């Protein structure tokens, strides 16, 4: 069994495992990595970009090294290789947790319990829930579902297809570091700069694939493409912009506008200006679109890896015949 087929079977098993099992309540591998990264930060922290870059190198490099060592250890056993890829995929994707939190908030909103929705919102995103009414909470959920479909699922599958288990673990490490230190608070403005830029780079292909698949799988493909082309560049994030604009266009809703984080109010550009305001019922629509995008991403990335492997093999054979 070739490495490409091992990855295909393992990635499918891992995504199915996430669908059926979700994340464990305790001892999640990403949480373990987060604690390790926090320990490294306590040793290295200085208000300096260079020390922050070293932090990113140590943590992300450690995840890559762990993935490489584990992959080499099972390379002679197809079954163990598939199992390792499945376990790594399950560990790094978070689609089921994303859906569970979004639907929990959506159910609270549908029941008219805005206060319960406010209590649950911080589990999904960093908005100030007290500053939001029911429709504002729904918009925050839709935006978070869109962005995290890319960060928590599609981006990981892209780098898994490129680099196998090391690619899966490396991407999740970079994404976790960005969540931990990649924001513009006084403590992390300089120290987290490298982690934030590395996450922008690692997230670039997954965000574009997510936007494409949202357009293909959503109820309004033309609206998704139109919103992506017209509004994505207005977003301050180079990766969240295409994803949120495409989701907004596909669902026919406006995203962006006034946001509140940690007592700080931001005026973001409106994405998909031709859409309507988000309402509670759009939470479930966004969740269903996220699920479709996730499974399409698995198919696309696995197919791309299989095709690339075949092309490389064909070129090597042709080169051998010519020499």
């Amino acid at each position: 069994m070739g490495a490409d087929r091992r990855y295909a079977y393992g990635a499918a098993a891992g995504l199915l495992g996430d669908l059926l099992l979700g994340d464990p309540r305790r001892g999640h591998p990403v949480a373990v990595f987060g604690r390790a990264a926090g320990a490294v930060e306590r040793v290295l922290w200085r208000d300096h970009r260079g020390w922050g870059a070293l932090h990113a190198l140590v943590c992300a490099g450690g995840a890559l090294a762990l993935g490489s060592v584990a992959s080499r250890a099972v390379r002679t056993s197809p079954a163990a290789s598939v199992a390792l890829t499945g376990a790594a995929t399950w560990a790094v994707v978070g689609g089921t947790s994303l859906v569970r939190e979004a639907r929990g908030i959506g159910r609270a909103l549908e029941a008219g319990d805005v206060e319960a929705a406010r209590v649950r919102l911080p589990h999904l995103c960093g908005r100030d829930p007290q500053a939001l009414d029911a429709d504002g909470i729904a918009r925050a959920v839709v935006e978070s579902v869109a962005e995290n479909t890319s960060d928590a699922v599609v981006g990981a599958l892209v780098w898994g297809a490129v680099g196998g288990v090391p690619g899966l673990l490396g991407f999740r490490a970079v994404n976790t570091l960005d969540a931990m230190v990649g924001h513009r608070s006084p403590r992390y403005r300089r120290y987290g700069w490298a982690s934030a830029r590395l996450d922008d780079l690692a997230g670039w292909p997954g965000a574009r694939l997510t936007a494409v698949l949202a357009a293909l799988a959503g109820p309004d493909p033309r609206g998704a493409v139109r919103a992506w082309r017209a509004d994505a560049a207005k977003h301050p994030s180079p990766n969240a912009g295409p994803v949120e604009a495409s989701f907004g266009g596909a669902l026919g809703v406006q995203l962006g506008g006034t946001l509140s984080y940690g007592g700080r109010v931001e005026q973001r550009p409106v994405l998909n200006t031709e859409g309507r305001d988000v309402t509670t019922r759009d939470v479930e629509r966004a969740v269903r679109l996220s699920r479709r995008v996730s499974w399409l991403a698995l198919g696309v990335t696995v197919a791309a890896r299989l095709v690339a492997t075949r092309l490389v093999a064909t070129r090597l054979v042709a080169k051998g015949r010519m020499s």
Side-chain angles (χ1 to χ4, degrees):
M1 186 189 300
D4 52 350
R5 292 175 61 193
R6 297 184 193 187
Y7 175 77
Y9 296 148
L15 198 58
L16 183 61
D18 176 66
L19 177 66
L20 297 176
L21 303 175
D23 294 333
R25 297 294 182 182
R26 298 181 180 178
H28 194 288
V30 175
V32 173
F33 171 82
R35 288 193 291 272
V40 173
E41 179 189 341
R42 287 192 290 273
V43 173
L44 294 181
W45 188 89
R46 306 287 190 281
D47 191 17
H48 190 276
R49 285 185 177 184
W51 286 96
L54 179 60
H55 176 236
L57 178 63
V58 169
C59 295
L64 284 168
L66 177 62
S68 298
V69 169
S71 296
R72 290 181 181 180
V74 301
R75 67 181 182 274
T76 59
S77 171
S81 182
V82 170
L84 176 65
T85 302
T89 302
W90 166 80
V92 304
V93 301
T96 293
S97 292
L98 172 64
V99 166
R100 183 185 297 126
E101 292 299 333
R103 281 180 166 158
I105 297 169
R107 285 193 296 268
L109 292 175
E110 289 172 0
D113 194 345
V114 178
E115 191 56 39
R118 288 191 178 115
V119 170
R120 295 197 66 158
L121 185 63
H123 298 170
L124 187 65
C125 64
R127 307 284 175 85
D128 290 337
Q130 298 305 320
L132 300 172
D133 59 9
D135 288 348
I137 293 172
R139 176 165 63 86
V141 172
V142 171
E143 290 171 355
S144 295
V145 167
E147 185 174 1
N148 283 295
T149 299
S150 176
D151 288 343
V153 183
V154 180
L157 293 175
V158 167
W159 285 105
V162 172
V165 171
L168 288 165
L169 299 188
F171 175 80
R172 177 52 59 220
V174 168
N175 191 249
T176 303
L177 289 173
D178 178 61
M180 294 177 67
V181 304
H183 35 90
R184 297 180 180 179
S185 66
R187 176 178 174 85
Y188 294 123
R189 183 172 288 109
R190 282 180 284 271
Y191 187 81
W193 178 85
S195 292
R197 300 292 76 75
L198 187 60
D199 182 67
D200 287 343
L201 182 63
W204 196 94
R208 273 72 192 167
L209 178 59
T210 303
V212 169
L213 296 179
L216 293 175
D220 187 357
R222 290 184 179 179
V225 173
R226 181 181 62 248
W228 181 5
R229 294 179 62 184
D231 300 326
K234 301 175 184 177
H235 198 287
S237 168
N239 294 330
V243 172
E244 291 185 19
S246 186
F247 260 71
L251 297 172
V253 298
Q254 291 185 5
L255 301 179
T258 303
L259 309 179
S260 179
Y261 290 95
R264 185 183 73 255
V265 176
E266 293 184 16
Q267 293 294 332
R268 294 271 181 90
V270 174
L271 307 178
N272 189 35
T273 54
E274 297 184 16
R276 57 174 173 78
D277 290 339
V278 176
T279 61
T280 299
R281 68 185 180 88
D282 293 310
V283 170
E284 180 62 25
R285 296 176 68 227
V287 165
R288 291 178 180 176
L289 179 57
S290 173
R291 280 298 197 195
R292 291 195 295 271
V293 167
S294 297
W295 285 103
L296 283 172
L298 175 66
V300 169
T301 55
V302 165
R305 181 178 173 114
L306 292 170
V307 169
T309 301
R310 296 294 186 274
L311 288 175
V312 171
T314 301
R315 289 184 179 182
L316 290 175
V317 170
K319 189 176 180 178
R321 289 175 179 174
M322 293 174 61
S323 59

